[in-house]
Amino acid sequence: MGNIREIARLAGVSVTTVSRVLNNHPYVKKEKRDAVIEAVERLNYTKNSNAVHLSKGRTHMIGVMLPYVNHPYFSSILEGIADAALSHSYSLNLFQTNYDFTKELDALEKLKTKQVDGMIITSRSSDVSFLEKFSEEGPIILCENLGEDWHSSVYIDHYQAFLDGLLFLAEKGHTKIGYCLGRLTGTNSQLRIQAFHDGMERLNVKVNEDWVFHQCTFIEDGRRVAHEIFQLKDKPTALLVSSDQVAAGILTQSKKLGIRIPKDLALLSFDNHPLSEGLELSTMDLPVKEMGREAFELFLDDLNGSGQRKQRKLPYHLIRRRSV
């Protein structure tokens, strides 16, 4: 099996010409294109990704780091990235990490060794100072706001969205309010926790830790929460739930347990996944798919731009349905 230099030597052309032919560049003379194709066939050449776009030093591959592919929040971001990437003839290299630091490091090594042109990080466990070490290797786009200038980011104001949700429940007459979150260590989760405590302080209501539920990511976690609430003597009357999936689990299991939604327990969730419409869940509409598109556009800006990093905040709005 030949390499790209052997093809160039056999075809009597430059390495750049070979690269152009392999990548369907339109401005190559027919006789040179035919010579390259013949050489490829004679040498039984298989294109190596590291040889792609030699003239620009680019792979036309974007890395996407995400903890799960089967969670609607992250799959929606991924869908937005994929739509934008397709329109610019880019391919995706996915790195599912399950918040495992070693897997995040493996993904960043792909950036360091130029196997991808940049990295979009939808969520992470790595420390920010660790990520910054890789910022010279290629554009890194974060789906969160860290307020730093070494990277570009696209984000939703999760603090304000959670606070707005809490105050909406308070306007409906609720004071016995709890919340459900995924993990405690994420930037967005920390913002939501802070918003909840700030809001409860504003309402002059003490936070009841029995109504705080963590490690809530999937539908089965919502079912668990419903069981835990059912067993409480002093129950909350309303919950802020950071995921429509978890809220769906709470809703369906509550019906089986005789907890009436919203009479006994009001639910306000986040994301506005199609599931929430089918179950008539009140939810905060977060433009997650748009966040994916914007992340890819920021990547292109950083790849081709002057080096100035950008931060883009996306809007959200409340959709009220039967669960409140």
Side-chain angles (χ1 to χ4, degrees), residues 8 48-49 104 108 138 152 159 203 225 229 236 269 294 311 320-321:
N48 188 311
S49 61
E104 294 183 4
L108 291 165
S152 292
Y159 176 93
L203 296 170
V225 169
I229 290 175
S269 58
E294 288 284 345
Q311 284 73 42
R320 182 180 173 185
R321 299 189 179 111

Side-chain angles (χ1 to χ4, degrees), residues 67 74 99 104 122-128 143-146 158-159 181-194 214-215:
F74 297 109
Y99 290 118
E104 294 183 4
T122 65
S123 191
R124 63 185 170 82
S125 63
S126 304
D127 188 80
V128 177
C143 296
E144 60 183 301
N145 181 28
L146 300 177
H158 288 283
Y159 176 93
L181 288 182
R183 62 195 187 105
L184 294 177
T185 55
T187 301
N188 294 335
S189 292
Q190 288 296 311
L191 289 171
R192 286 166 166 166
I193 293 171
Q194 186 62 52
H214 297 135
Q215 302 300 320

Side-chain angles (χ1 to χ4, degrees), residues 14-15 17 24 53 67 78 86 93 155 173 185 194 228 253 266-267 270 275 286 293 295 297 300 323-324:
S14 67
V15 169
T17 297
N24 297 315
H53 295 277
L78 181 59
L86 183 63
N93 195 340
Y155 65 96
T185 55
Q194 186 62 52
E228 292 182 15
Q253 194 62 35
L267 297 176
F270 290 77
L275 179 69
L286 306 181
R293 294 194 192 99
E297 295 297 336
L300 284 185
S323 66
V324 294

Side-chain angles (χ1 to χ4, degrees), residues 161-173:
F162 218 66
L163 179 60
D164 288 350
L166 173 63
L167 297 179
F168 172 76
L169 291 175
E171 289 173 3
K172 298 292 293 179

Side-chain angles (χ1 to χ4, degrees), residues 227-242:
H227 275 286
E228 292 182 15
I229 290 175
F230 181 72
Q231 293 169 0
L232 292 173
K233 289 185 178 180
D234 185 19
K235 297 177 173 58
T237 63
L239 281 182
L240 281 171
V241 187
S242 63

Side-chain angles (χ1 to χ4, degrees), residues 161 165 168 240-245 247 267-278 280-286 316-324:
F168 172 76
L240 281 171
V241 187
S242 63
S243 162
D244 288 333
Q245 297 289 301
L267 297 176
L268 176 59
S269 58
F270 290 77
D271 295 344
N272 193 28
H273 185 270
L275 179 69
S276 67
E277 183 176 5
E280 298 188 275
L281 285 166
S282 295
T283 185
M284 200 70 77
D285 181 35
L286 306 181
Y316 60 86
H317 66 277
L318 174 67
I319 297 178
R320 182 180 173 185
R321 299 189 179 111
R322 291 185 61 185
S323 66
V324 294

Side-chain angles (χ1 to χ4, degrees), residues 215-230:
Q215 302 300 320
C216 299
T217 305
F218 300 101
I219 288 178
E220 52 267 30
D221 298 317
R223 297 191 187 106
R224 167 179 55 83
V225 169
H227 275 286
E228 292 182 15
I229 290 175
F230 181 72

